[in-house]
Amino acid sequence: GESVGLHLPTLSVQEGDNSIINCAYSNSASDYFIWYKQESGKGPQFIIDIRSNMDKRQGQRVTVLLNKTVKHLSLQIAATQPGDSAVYFCAALANQAGTALIFGKGTTLSVSS
Amino acid sequence: DTAVSQTPKYLVTQMGNDKSIKCEQNLGHDTMYWYKQDSKKFLKIMFSYNNKELIINETVPNRFSPKSPDKAHLNLHINSLELGDSAVYFCASSPSEGAGNQPQHFGDGTRLSIL
């Protein structure tokens, strides 16, 4: 079955730095990927998604890169702010009926000012 | 105007009791989900319903029974609660079954603590 893993459980950066959170997935049939942010006491909040027909997608201060060859995706946060401190999850889905979104274990991002 | 709302936010109860968690979404989505998040923050799908029909039922003890009275509601009933059921339970919804390349929207969770 699918497994999704994050490379680092924690990441500490200084305010204003760029942050990169990496994720690997195992199922080559996965064709849709999502990054979520979870703050303490809250549910996962959608940040950005990408489909397998794309290599890169940009949002406001965030960029997701997808490398299907090595089954790897990353989330880049530009000019990281204290409000970005949270747990970040990547999730992958194979677009087949009855399949579930598989979440990675989460990377805790700590931003110090 | 909360999109996905769960009640209660906190639930503390004794082992062996039966409890329910309610979830409602006002997004007009067809599909709803229940996830369990353990103490290490690992999120795992439990169930998914599409238009009131069960689509996904992962390896979950049959003490857990989801009920969808209509497509805007998906409640979770748990019988004979055990210590290992302590976790945060999240409800989510998305426009179509299997996410259909649409992100799932999550509620803020119900923290269940078994004494």
Side-chain angles (χ1 to χ4, degrees), chain A residues 31-32 34 36 38 41-44 46 49 51 87 89 93 95 97-101 103-105, chain B residues 9 35 37 40-43 45 55-56 58 90 97-108:
Chain A
D31 59 2
Y32 179 57
I34 311 175
Y36 283 94
Q38 186 177 20
K42 300 268 188 181
F46 170 77
D49 58 1
R51 292 164 177 75
V87 180
F89 294 94
L93 178 70
N95 195 13
T99 59
L101 196 59
F103 279 80
K105 288 187 179 176
Chain B
K9 188 169 175 66
Y35 287 84
Q37 186 172 48
K40 296 183 178 174
K41 298 282 188 186
F42 185 54
L43 262 167
I45 183 76
I55 299 297
I56 294 172
E58 290 294 302
F90 286 99
E97 184 262 314
N101 288 341
Q102 295 287 337
Q104 295 175 18
H105 297 257
F106 284 78
D108 280 339

Side-chain angles (χ1 to χ4, degrees), chain A residues 21-72:
Chain A
I21 303 172
N22 295 302
C23 181
Y25 62 96
S26 64
N27 187 356
S28 55
S30 294
D31 59 2
Y32 179 57
F33 306 88
I34 311 175
W35 281 99
Y36 283 94
K37 171 187 181 184
Q38 186 177 20
E39 295 173 295
S40 181
K42 300 268 188 181
Q45 178 187 1
F46 170 77
I47 301 173
I48 193 168
D49 58 1
I50 188 167
R51 292 164 177 75
S52 58
N53 60 353
M54 303 171 72
D55 297 323
K56 179 179 179 179
R57 192 164 187 221
Q58 288 183 289
Q60 189 177 14
R61 284 200 304 117
V62 294
T63 300
V64 55
L65 298 177
L66 175 63
N67 184 331
K68 295 179 287 294
T69 304
V70 295
K71 301 196 195 71
H72 178 273

